[in-house]
Coordinates of all heavy atoms in Angstrom, one line a residue:
M1 N -13.6 -21.4 1.8 CA -13.6 -19.8 1.7 C -12.3 -19.4 1.2 O -11.2 -19.7 1.7 CB -14.0 -19.2 2.9 CG -14.5 -17.7 2.8 SD -15.1 -17.0 4.4 CE -16.6 -17.9 4.6
N2 N -12.2 -18.4 0.2 CA -10.9 -17.9 -0.3 C -10.7 -16.5 0.3 O -11.3 -15.6 0.0 CB -11.1 -17.8 -1.8 CG -9.8 -17.4 -2.4 OD1 -8.8 -17.2 -1.8 ND2 -9.7 -17.1 -3.7
F3 N -9.7 -16.5 1.2 CA -9.3 -15.3 2.0 C -8.6 -14.3 1.1 O -8.3 -13.2 1.4 CB -8.7 -15.7 3.2 CG -9.5 -16.3 4.3 CD1 -9.1 -17.5 4.9 CD2 -10.7 -15.9 4.6 CE1 -9.9 -18.1 5.7 CE2 -11.6 -16.5 5.5 CZ -11.2 -17.6 6.1
D4 N -8.0 -14.9 -0.1 CA -7.2 -14.0 -0.9 C -8.1 -13.1 -1.7 O -7.7 -12.2 -2.3 CB -6.3 -14.8 -1.8 CG -5.3 -15.6 -0.9 OD1 -4.8 -15.0 0.0 OD2 -4.9 -16.7 -1.4
S5 N -9.4 -13.5 -2.0 CA -10.3 -12.8 -2.8 C -10.6 -11.4 -2.1 O -10.6 -11.3 -0.8 CB -11.5 -13.5 -3.0 OG -12.3 -13.6 -1.9
P6 N -11.0 -10.4 -2.8 CA -11.3 -9.1 -2.2 C -12.5 -9.3 -1.4 O -12.6 -8.6 -0.2 CB -11.7 -8.2 -3.4 CG -11.0 -8.9 -4.7 CD -11.0 -10.2 -4.3
E7 N -13.4 -10.2 -1.6 CA -14.6 -10.4 -0.7 C -14.2 -10.8 0.7 O -14.8 -10.6 1.7 CB -15.5 -11.5 -1.3 CG -16.2 -11.0 -2.7 CD -15.3 -11.2 -3.9 OE1 -14.2 -12.0 -3.7 OE2 -15.4 -10.4 -4.8
G8 N -13.0 -11.6 0.7 CA -12.5 -12.1 2.1 C -11.9 -10.9 2.8 O -11.7 -11.1 4.1
E9 N -11.6 -9.9 2.3 CA -10.9 -8.8 3.0 C -11.9 -7.8 3.6 O -12.3 -6.8 3.1 CB -10.0 -8.0 2.0 CG -8.7 -8.9 1.5 CD -7.8 -8.1 0.7 OE1 -7.6 -6.9 1.0 OE2 -7.2 -8.6 -0.2
I10 N -12.4 -8.3 4.8 CA -13.4 -7.6 5.5 C -12.9 -7.2 6.9 O -12.1 -7.8 7.4 CB -14.8 -8.3 5.5 CG1 -14.6 -9.5 6.2 CG2 -15.3 -8.5 4.1 CD1 -15.9 -10.3 6.5
C11 N -13.6 -6.2 7.4 CA -13.4 -5.8 8.8 C -14.1 -6.8 9.7 O -15.2 -7.2 9.5 CB -14.0 -4.5 9.1 SG -14.1 -3.9 10.9
A12 N -13.4 -7.4 10.7 CA -13.9 -8.5 11.7 C -14.9 -8.0 12.6 O -15.8 -8.7 13.1 CB -12.7 -9.1 12.4
A13 N -15.0 -6.6 12.7 CA -16.1 -6.1 13.6 C -17.3 -5.7 12.9 O -18.5 -5.9 13.3 CB -15.5 -4.8 14.3
C14 N -17.2 -4.9 11.7 CA -18.5 -4.5 11.1 C -18.8 -5.3 9.8 O -19.8 -5.2 9.2 CB -18.3 -3.0 10.8 SG -17.2 -2.5 9.5
G15 N -17.9 -6.0 9.2 CA -18.1 -6.8 8.0 C -18.0 -6.0 6.8 O -18.1 -6.5 5.7
N16 N -17.6 -4.7 6.8 CA -17.4 -3.9 5.6 C -16.2 -4.3 4.9 O -15.2 -4.7 5.6 CB -17.5 -2.4 6.0 CG -18.9 -2.0 6.2 OD1 -19.8 -2.4 5.7 ND2 -18.9 -0.9 7.1
S17 N -16.0 -4.1 3.6 CA -14.9 -4.4 2.8 C -13.8 -3.5 3.1 O -14.0 -2.2 3.2 CB -15.3 -4.3 1.3 OG -14.0 -4.5 0.5
V18 N -12.7 -4.0 3.3 CA -11.4 -3.1 3.3 C -10.4 -3.5 2.2 O -9.3 -3.3 2.3 CB -10.7 -3.3 4.7 CG1 -11.5 -2.9 6.0 CG2 -10.3 -4.8 5.0
A19 N -11.0 -4.0 1.2 CA -10.2 -4.5 0.0 C -9.6 -3.3 -0.7 O -10.0 -2.2 -0.6 CB -11.0 -5.3 -0.9
R20 N -8.5 -3.6 -1.6 CA -7.9 -2.6 -2.4 C -9.0 -2.0 -3.3 O -9.8 -2.7 -3.7 CB -6.9 -3.2 -3.4 CG -6.1 -2.3 -4.0 CD -5.0 -3.1 -5.0 NE -4.0 -3.6 -4.1 CZ -2.9 -3.1 -3.8 NH1 -2.7 -1.9 -4.1 NH2 -2.1 -3.7 -3.0
G21 N -9.0 -0.6 -3.3 CA -10.1 0.1 -4.1 C -11.1 0.7 -3.3 O -11.8 1.5 -3.6
S22 N -11.2 0.2 -1.9 CA -12.1 0.8 -1.0 C -11.5 1.9 -0.3 O -10.1 2.0 -0.2 CB -12.6 -0.2 0.0 OG -11.6 -0.6 0.9
A23 N -12.3 2.9 0.2 CA -11.7 4.1 0.8 C -11.0 3.8 2.1 O -10.2 4.5 2.6 CB -12.7 5.1 1.1
V24 N -11.3 2.6 2.7 CA -10.6 2.3 4.0 C -9.4 1.3 3.9 O -8.9 0.8 4.8 CB -11.7 1.8 5.1 CG1 -12.5 2.9 5.5 CG2 -12.5 0.7 4.5
F25 N -9.0 1.0 2.5 CA -8.0 0.0 2.3 C -6.8 0.5 3.0 O -6.0 -0.2 3.7 CB -7.8 -0.1 0.8 CG -6.5 -0.8 0.5 CD1 -6.5 -2.2 0.7 CD2 -5.4 -0.2 0.0 CE1 -5.3 -3.0 0.3 CE2 -4.2 -0.9 -0.4 CZ -4.1 -2.2 -0.1
A26 N -6.2 1.8 2.8 CA -5.0 2.3 3.2 C -4.9 2.4 4.8 O -3.8 2.4 5.4 CB -4.7 3.7 2.6
N27 N -6.2 2.5 5.4 CA -6.0 2.7 6.9 C -6.4 1.4 7.7 O -6.6 1.5 8.9 CB -7.1 3.8 7.2 CG -7.0 5.0 6.4 OD1 -5.8 5.6 6.3 ND2 -7.9 5.4 5.7
R28 N -6.7 0.3 6.9 CA -7.1 -0.9 7.7 C -5.8 -1.5 8.6 O -4.7 -1.2 8.3 CB -7.4 -2.0 6.7 CG -6.3 -2.5 5.9 CD -6.7 -3.4 4.7 NE -5.6 -3.9 4.1 CZ -5.8 -4.9 3.1 NH1 -6.9 -5.3 2.9 NH2 -4.6 -5.4 2.5
V29 N -6.3 -2.0 9.7 CA -5.3 -2.6 10.7 C -5.5 -4.0 10.8 O -6.6 -4.5 10.8 CB -5.6 -1.9 12.0 CG1 -4.5 -2.4 13.0 CG2 -5.5 -0.4 12.0
P30 N -4.4 -4.8 10.6 CA -4.5 -6.3 10.7 C -5.1 -6.8 12.1 O -4.8 -6.1 13.1 CB -3.1 -6.9 10.7 CG -2.2 -5.7 10.2 CD -3.0 -4.4 10.6
E31 N -6.1 -7.7 12.0 CA -6.7 -8.3 13.2 C -5.8 -9.4 13.7 O -5.7 -10.5 13.0 CB -8.1 -8.8 13.0 CG -8.7 -9.7 13.9 CD -8.8 -9.1 15.3 OE1 -7.7 -9.1 16.0 OE2 -10.0 -8.7 15.7
S32 N -4.9 -9.1 14.7 CA -3.9 -10.1 15.0 C -4.4 -11.3 15.9 O -3.7 -12.2 16.1 CB -2.7 -9.3 15.8 OG -3.2 -8.5 16.8
N33 N -5.5 -11.2 16.4 CA -6.0 -12.3 17.3 C -6.5 -13.4 16.4 O -6.9 -13.3 15.3 CB -7.3 -11.8 18.1 CG -7.0 -10.6 19.0 OD1 -6.1 -10.8 19.9 ND2 -7.6 -9.5 18.8
D34 N -6.3 -14.7 16.9 CA -6.8 -15.8 16.2 C -8.3 -15.9 16.2 O -8.9 -15.2 16.9 CB -6.2 -17.1 16.7 CG -6.5 -17.4 18.2 OD1 -7.8 -17.2 18.6 OD2 -5.7 -17.8 18.9
I35 N -8.9 -16.8 15.4 CA -10.2 -16.8 15.1 C -11.1 -17.1 16.5 O -12.1 -16.5 16.7 CB -10.7 -17.6 13.9 CG1 -12.1 -17.4 13.5 CG2 -10.5 -19.2 14.3 CD1 -12.3 -17.8 11.9
V36 N -10.5 -18.0 17.3 CA -11.2 -18.4 18.6 C -11.3 -17.1 19.4 O -12.4 -16.9 20.1 CB -10.5 -19.6 19.2 CG1 -11.1 -19.8 20.5 CG2 -10.5 -20.8 18.3
T37 N -10.2 -16.4 19.6 CA -10.2 -15.2 20.4 C -11.2 -14.1 19.8 O -11.9 -13.4 20.6 CB -8.8 -14.6 20.3 OG1 -7.9 -15.6 20.8 CG2 -8.6 -13.4 21.4
R38 N -11.2 -14.1 18.5 CA -12.1 -13.0 17.9 C -13.5 -13.4 18.2 O -14.4 -12.4 18.4 CB -12.0 -13.1 16.3 CG -10.7 -12.6 15.8 CD -10.6 -12.7 14.3 NE -9.2 -12.7 13.9 CZ -8.7 -13.1 12.7 NH1 -9.6 -13.5 11.8 NH2 -7.5 -13.0 12.5
I39 N -13.9 -14.7 18.3 CA -15.3 -15.0 18.6 C -15.5 -14.7 20.1 O -16.6 -14.2 20.4 CB -15.4 -16.6 18.3 CG1 -15.5 -16.8 16.8 CG2 -16.9 -17.1 18.9 CD1 -15.3 -18.2 16.4
E40 N -14.5 -15.0 21.0 CA -14.6 -14.7 22.4 C -14.9 -13.2 22.6 O -15.5 -12.8 23.5 CB -13.5 -15.2 23.1 CG -13.5 -16.7 23.2 CD -12.1 -17.3 23.8 OE1 -11.1 -16.5 24.0 OE2 -12.0 -18.4 24.1
M41 N -14.2 -12.4 21.7 CA -14.3 -10.9 21.8 C -15.5 -10.4 21.3 O -15.8 -9.2 21.4 CB -13.1 -10.3 21.0 CG -11.8 -10.5 21.5 SD -10.5 -10.0 20.4 CE -10.7 -8.2 20.4
G42 N -16.4 -11.3 20.7 CA -17.6 -10.8 20.2 C -17.6 -10.2 18.8 O -18.5 -9.6 18.4
R43 N -16.5 -10.5 18.0 CA -16.5 -10.1 16.7 C -17.5 -10.6 15.9 O -17.6 -11.9 15.8 CB -15.1 -10.4 16.0 CG -14.0 -9.7 16.7 CD -13.8 -8.3 16.3 NE -12.4 -7.8 16.6 CZ -12.2 -6.6 17.1 NH1 -13.2 -5.8 17.4 NH2 -10.9 -6.2 17.4
K44 N -18.3 -9.9 15.1 CA -19.3 -10.4 14.3 C -18.9 -11.2 13.0 O -19.7 -12.0 12.5 CB -20.4 -9.3 14.0 CG -21.2 -8.8 15.2 CD -22.1 -7.8 14.8 CE -22.8 -7.1 16.1 NZ -23.2 -5.8 15.9
Y45 N -17.8 -10.7 12.6 CA -17.2 -11.4 11.3 C -15.9 -12.0 11.7 O -14.8 -11.3 11.2 CB -17.2 -10.3 10.3 CG -18.6 -9.7 10.0 CD1 -19.0 -8.7 10.7 CD2 -19.5 -10.3 9.1 CE1 -20.3 -8.1 10.6 CE2 -20.7 -9.8 8.9 CZ -21.1 -8.7 9.6 OH -22.4 -8.3 9.4
P46 N -15.8 -13.0 12.5 CA -14.5 -13.5 13.0 C -13.5 -13.9 11.8 O -12.3 -14.0 12.1 CB -14.8 -14.6 13.9 CG -16.1 -15.0 13.5 CD -16.8 -13.8 13.0
H47 N -14.0 -14.2 10.6 CA -13.2 -14.6 9.6 C -12.5 -13.4 8.9 O -11.7 -13.5 8.0 CB -14.0 -15.4 8.6 CG -15.1 -14.8 7.9 ND1 -16.3 -14.6 8.6 CD2 -15.3 -14.2 6.7 CE1 -17.1 -13.9 7.9 NE2 -16.6 -13.7 6.7
G48 N -12.9 -12.2 9.2 CA -12.3 -11.0 8.7 C -10.8 -10.9 9.2 O -10.7 -11.1 10.4
E49 N -9.9 -10.6 8.4 CA -8.5 -10.5 8.7 C -8.1 -9.1 9.1 O -6.9 -8.7 9.4 CB -7.7 -11.1 7.6 CG -7.8 -12.5 7.2 CD -7.3 -13.4 8.3 OE1 -6.3 -13.0 8.9 OE2 -7.9 -14.5 8.4
W50 N -9.1 -8.2 9.0 CA -8.6 -6.8 9.3 C -9.7 -6.0 10.3 O -10.8 -6.5 10.4 CB -8.7 -6.0 7.9 CG -7.8 -6.6 6.9 CD1 -8.2 -7.6 6.0 CD2 -6.4 -6.4 6.8 NE1 -7.0 -7.9 5.3 CE2 -5.9 -7.2 5.8 CE3 -5.6 -5.5 7.4 CZ2 -4.6 -7.2 5.4 CZ3 -4.1 -5.5 7.1 CH2 -3.7 -6.4 6.0
I51 N -9.3 -4.9 10.6 CA -10.2 -4.0 11.4 C -10.2 -2.7 10.6 O -9.1 -2.1 10.3 CB -9.8 -3.7 12.8 CG1 -9.8 -5.1 13.7 CG2 -10.6 -2.7 13.6 CD1 -11.1 -5.6 13.8
C52 N -11.3 -2.1 10.3 CA -11.3 -0.9 9.7 C -11.1 0.3 10.4 O -11.2 0.2 11.7 CB -12.7 -0.8 8.8 SG -14.1 -0.3 9.9
I53 N -10.7 1.4 9.9 CA -10.4 2.6 10.7 C -11.5 3.1 11.6 O -11.4 3.6 12.6 CB -9.9 3.8 9.8 CG1 -9.3 4.9 10.7 CG2 -10.9 4.3 8.8 CD1 -8.5 5.9 10.0
I54 N -12.8 2.9 11.1 CA -14.0 3.4 11.8 C -14.0 2.5 13.2 O -14.2 3.1 14.2 CB -15.2 3.3 11.0 CG1 -15.1 4.3 9.7 CG2 -16.4 3.5 11.8 CD1 -16.0 4.0 8.6
C55 N -14.0 1.2 12.9 CA -14.1 0.4 14.2 C -12.9 0.5 15.1 O -13.0 0.4 16.2 CB -14.2 -1.1 13.7 SG -15.8 -1.5 13.0
D56 N -11.7 0.7 14.4 CA -10.5 0.9 15.1 C -10.5 2.1 16.0 O -9.9 2.2 17.1 CB -9.3 1.0 14.2 CG -7.9 0.9 15.0 OD1 -7.9 0.0 15.9 OD2 -6.9 1.6 14.6
N57 N -11.4 3.1 15.7 CA -11.5 4.4 16.5 C -12.7 4.4 17.4 O -13.2 5.4 17.9 CB -11.5 5.6 15.6 CG -10.2 6.1 15.3 OD1 -9.5 6.8 16.0 ND2 -9.6 5.5 14.1
M58 N -13.4 3.2 17.5 CA -14.6 3.1 18.2 C -14.3 2.7 19.7 O -13.6 1.8 19.9 CB -15.6 2.1 17.6 CG -17.0 2.5 17.6 SD -18.0 1.5 16.6 CE -18.2 2.5 15.2
N59 N -14.9 3.3 20.7 CA -14.8 2.8 22.1 C -15.8 1.8 22.4 O -16.6 1.4 21.5 CB -14.8 4.0 23.0 CG -16.3 4.7 23.0 OD1 -17.3 4.1 22.6 ND2 -16.4 5.9 23.4
S60 N -15.8 1.4 23.7 CA -16.6 0.2 24.1 C -18.1 0.4 24.1 O -18.9 -0.4 24.0 CB -16.1 -0.3 25.4 OG -16.3 0.8 26.3
D61 N -18.4 1.8 24.0 CA -19.9 2.1 23.9 C -20.3 2.2 22.5 O -21.4 2.7 22.2 CB -20.1 3.6 24.7 CG -19.8 3.4 26.1 OD1 -20.1 2.4 26.7 OD2 -19.4 4.5 26.7
G62 N -19.4 2.0 21.4 CA -19.8 2.1 20.1 C -19.8 3.4 19.5 O -20.4 3.8 18.5
E63 N -19.1 4.4 20.2 CA -18.9 5.7 19.7 C -17.6 5.9 19.1 O -16.6 5.5 19.7 CB -19.1 6.8 20.9 CG -20.6 6.6 21.5 CD -20.6 7.4 22.9 OE1 -19.5 7.5 23.5 OE2 -21.7 7.6 23.4
I64 N -17.5 6.7 18.1 CA -16.3 7.0 17.4 C -15.6 8.1 18.3 O -16.2 9.1 18.5 CB -16.5 7.6 15.9 CG1 -17.0 6.4 15.1 CG2 -15.1 8.0 15.4 CD1 -17.4 6.7 13.7
E65 N -14.4 7.7 18.7 CA -13.6 8.7 19.6 C -13.1 9.8 18.8 O -13.2 11.1 19.4 CB -12.4 7.9 20.3 CG -13.1 6.8 21.2 CD -12.0 6.3 22.2 OE1 -10.8 6.1 21.7 OE2 -12.4 5.8 23.2
S66 N -12.6 9.7 17.7 CA -12.0 10.9 17.0 C -12.6 10.9 15.6 O -12.0 10.5 14.7 CB -10.5 10.9 16.9 OG -10.0 12.0 16.2
L67 N -13.8 11.5 15.5 CA -14.5 11.5 14.1 C -13.7 12.3 13.1 O -13.6 11.9 12.0 CB -15.9 12.2 14.3 CG -16.8 12.0 13.0 CD1 -17.1 10.6 12.6 CD2 -18.1 12.7 13.3
E68 N -13.0 13.4 13.5 CA -12.2 14.2 12.7 C -11.1 13.4 12.1 O -10.9 13.5 10.9 CB -11.8 15.5 13.4 CG -12.7 16.5 13.9 CD -13.5 16.0 15.1 OE1 -13.0 15.1 15.7 OE2 -14.6 16.6 15.4
E69 N -10.4 12.6 12.9 CA -9.3 11.9 12.5 C -9.8 10.8 11.5 O -9.1 10.6 10.5 CB -8.6 11.2 13.7 CG -7.1 10.7 13.3 CD -6.6 9.9 14.5 OE1 -6.6 10.4 15.6 OE2 -6.0 8.8 14.3
V70 N -11.0 10.2 11.7 CA -11.4 9.2 10.9 C -11.8 9.7 9.5 O -11.3 9.2 8.5 CB -12.7 8.5 11.5 CG1 -13.3 7.5 10.4 CG2 -12.2 7.6 12.7
L71 N -12.4 10.9 9.5 CA -12.9 11.5 8.3 C -11.7 12.0 7.5 O -11.5 11.8 6.3 CB -13.8 12.7 8.5 CG -15.2 12.2 9.0 CD1 -16.0 13.6 9.4 CD2 -16.0 11.5 8.0
L72 N -10.6 12.5 8.2 CA -9.4 13.0 7.5 C -8.7 11.9 6.9 O -8.4 12.0 5.7 CB -8.5 13.7 8.6 CG -7.2 14.2 7.9 CD1 -7.3 15.3 7.0 CD2 -6.2 14.6 9.0
N73 N -8.5 10.8 7.6 CA -7.9 9.6 7.0 C -8.6 9.1 5.8 O -7.9 8.7 4.8 CB -7.8 8.5 8.2 CG -6.6 8.7 8.9 OD1 -5.4 8.9 8.4 ND2 -6.8 8.8 10.2
I74 N -10.0 9.0 5.7 CA -10.7 8.4 4.7 C -10.6 9.5 3.5 O -10.5 9.1 2.4 CB -12.2 8.2 5.1 CG1 -12.2 7.0 6.1 CG2 -13.1 8.0 3.9 CD1 -13.5 6.7 6.7
N75 N -10.6 10.8 3.7 CA -10.6 11.7 2.8 C -9.2 11.7 2.1 O -9.1 11.8 0.9 CB -10.8 13.2 3.3 CG -12.3 13.5 3.5 OD1 -13.1 12.8 2.9 ND2 -12.6 14.3 4.3
V76 N -8.1 11.6 2.8 CA -6.7 11.5 2.4 C -6.7 10.1 1.4 O -6.1 10.2 0.3 CB -5.7 11.4 3.5 CG1 -4.3 11.0 2.9 CG2 -5.6 12.7 4.1
A77 N -7.3 9.0 1.9 CA -7.2 7.8 1.1 C -7.9 8.0 -0.1 O -7.5 7.5 -1.2 CB -7.8 6.6 1.9
N78 N -9.1 8.6 -0.1 CA -9.9 8.9 -1.3 C -9.1 9.7 -2.3 O -9.2 9.5 -3.5 CB -11.2 9.7 -0.9 CG -12.4 8.7 -0.8 OD1 -12.4 7.7 -1.4 ND2 -13.4 9.0 0.1
Y79 N -8.5 10.7 -1.7 CA -7.6 11.5 -2.7 C -6.6 10.8 -3.5 O -6.5 10.9 -4.6 CB -7.0 12.7 -1.8 CG -6.0 13.5 -2.7 CD1 -6.4 14.6 -3.4 CD2 -4.5 13.3 -2.6 CE1 -5.6 15.3 -4.1 CE2 -3.7 14.1 -3.1 CZ -4.2 15.1 -4.0 OH -3.3 15.9 -4.7
F80 N -5.9 10.0 -2.7 CA -4.8 9.0 -3.3 C -5.5 8.1 -4.4 O -4.9 7.9 -5.4 CB -3.9 8.4 -2.3 CG -2.9 9.4 -1.7 CD1 -3.1 9.7 -0.4 CD2 -1.8 9.8 -2.4 CE1 -2.3 10.6 0.2 CE2 -1.0 10.6 -1.9 CZ -1.1 11.1 -0.7
L81 N -6.6 7.5 -4.0 CA -7.3 6.6 -4.8 C -7.8 7.3 -6.1 O -7.5 6.8 -7.2 CB -8.6 6.1 -4.0 CG -9.2 4.8 -4.6 CD1 -8.1 3.7 -4.3 CD2 -10.5 4.6 -3.6
K82 N -8.3 8.5 -6.1 CA -8.7 9.2 -7.2 C -7.5 9.6 -8.1 O -7.5 9.4 -9.4 CB -9.4 10.6 -6.8 CG -10.8 10.3 -6.5 CD -11.5 11.6 -6.1 CE -12.8 11.3 -5.5 NZ -13.5 12.4 -4.6
N83 N -6.3 10.0 -7.5 CA -5.2 10.2 -8.2 C -4.7 9.0 -8.9 O -4.2 9.0 -10.1 CB -4.1 10.7 -7.3 CG -4.0 12.2 -7.2 OD1 -4.8 12.9 -7.8 ND2 -3.1 12.7 -6.4
Q84 N -4.7 7.8 -8.3 CA -4.2 6.5 -8.8 C -5.1 6.2 -10.0 O -4.6 5.8 -11.0 CB -4.4 5.4 -7.8 CG -3.3 4.5 -7.7 CD -3.2 3.6 -6.4 OE1 -4.2 3.7 -5.6 NE2 -2.3 2.7 -6.4
I85 N -6.4 6.4 -9.8 CA -7.3 6.1 -11.0 C -7.0 7.0 -12.2 O -7.0 6.6 -13.4 CB -8.9 6.2 -10.6 CG1 -9.1 5.0 -9.5 CG2 -9.8 6.2 -11.7 CD1 -10.4 5.3 -8.8
A86 N -6.8 8.3 -11.8 CA -6.5 9.2 -12.9 C -5.2 8.8 -13.7 O -5.2 9.0 -14.9 CB -6.4 10.6 -12.4
I87 N -4.2 8.5 -13.0 CA -2.9 7.9 -13.5 C -3.1 6.7 -14.4 O -2.7 6.6 -15.5 CB -1.8 7.7 -12.5 CG1 -1.5 9.1 -11.8 CG2 -0.7 6.9 -13.0 CD1 -0.7 8.9 -10.6
L88 N -3.9 5.8 -13.9 CA -4.2 4.5 -14.6 C -5.0 4.9 -15.9 O -4.8 4.3 -17.0 CB -5.1 3.5 -13.8 CG -4.2 2.9 -12.6 CD1 -5.3 2.1 -11.7 CD2 -3.3 2.0 -13.2
G89 N -6.0 5.8 -15.7 CA -6.8 6.2 -16.9 C -5.9 6.8 -18.0 O -6.1 6.4 -19.2
R90 N -4.9 7.7 -17.6 CA -4.0 8.2 -18.7 C -3.2 7.1 -19.3 O -2.9 7.1 -20.5 CB -3.1 9.1 -17.9 CG -3.7 10.6 -18.2 CD -2.7 11.6 -17.5 NE -3.4 12.2 -16.4 CZ -2.8 12.3 -15.2 NH1 -1.6 12.0 -14.9 NH2 -3.4 12.8 -14.1
K91 N -2.8 6.1 -18.6 CA -2.0 5.0 -19.2 C -2.7 4.2 -20.2 O -2.1 3.6 -21.1 CB -1.4 4.1 -18.1 CG -0.2 4.7 -17.3 CD 0.2 3.7 -16.2 CE 1.3 4.3 -15.4 NZ 1.6 3.4 -14.2
C92 N -4.0 4.2 -20.0 CA -5.0 3.3 -20.9 C -5.1 4.1 -22.2 O -5.5 3.4 -23.3 CB -6.2 3.1 -20.2 SG -6.0 1.9 -18.9
L93 N -4.9 5.4 -22.4 CA -5.2 6.2 -23.5 C -4.1 5.9 -24.6 O -3.1 5.5 -24.3 CB -5.3 7.7 -23.3 CG -6.4 8.0 -22.3 CD1 -6.5 9.5 -22.0 CD2 -7.8 7.8 -23.0
Ligands
LIG1 ZN1 -15.2 -2.0 10.7

């Protein structure tokens, strides 16, 4: 498995992509536990090297603790992503 590929950049808890270009790229948190610990913790995707902002804000009951903060962070990341795409688009012209 190639962990450098964008496909390898997933959330260890939910399996969603946190690769560059995804809305949760800027807010991802490194999963600092080793793979054995991740399995013991019940991570469904223990080969994932990251935790996405949604899972990072989830309590042990599976509820998002601060939905407003999660949505704000994703919206800010989306804004910067769109700006970056617009800048790249202008450079290509
Ligand atoms: Zn996640």
Side-chain angles (χ1 to χ4, degrees):
M1 199 175 288
N2 181 4
F3 293 129
D4 294 331
S5 73
E7 294 80 26
E9 292 187 36
I10 61 166
C11 171
C14 69
N16 286 326
S17 173
V18 294
R20 184 179 294 273
S22 71
V24 290
F25 169 76
N27 309 305
R28 63 188 191 173
V29 180
E31 166 58 281
S32 52
N33 297 300
D34 61 42
I35 197 155
V36 175
T37 308
R38 292 177 202 165
I39 293 167
E40 286 170 355
M41 290 168 73
R43 298 281 196 221
K44 289 181 186 154
Y45 304 88
H47 58 286
E49 297 288 329
W50 303 92
I51 298 296
C52 74
I53 186 167
I54 297 165
C55 294
D56 194 41
N57 275 276
M58 219 171 257
N59 63 23
S60 56
D61 295 327
E63 296 162 342
I64 295 175
E65 293 192 328
S66 176
L67 189 60
E68 292 80 14
E69 196 185 314
V70 171
L71 289 174
L72 177 69
N73 275 305
I74 290 175
N75 283 336
V76 168
N78 263 330
Y79 173 78
F80 283 108
L81 201 62
K82 281 178 189 162
N83 267 1
Q84 225 171 358
I85 290 167
I87 290 164
L88 288 172
R90 261 181 252 133
K91 282 181 184 169
C92 291
L93 292 174

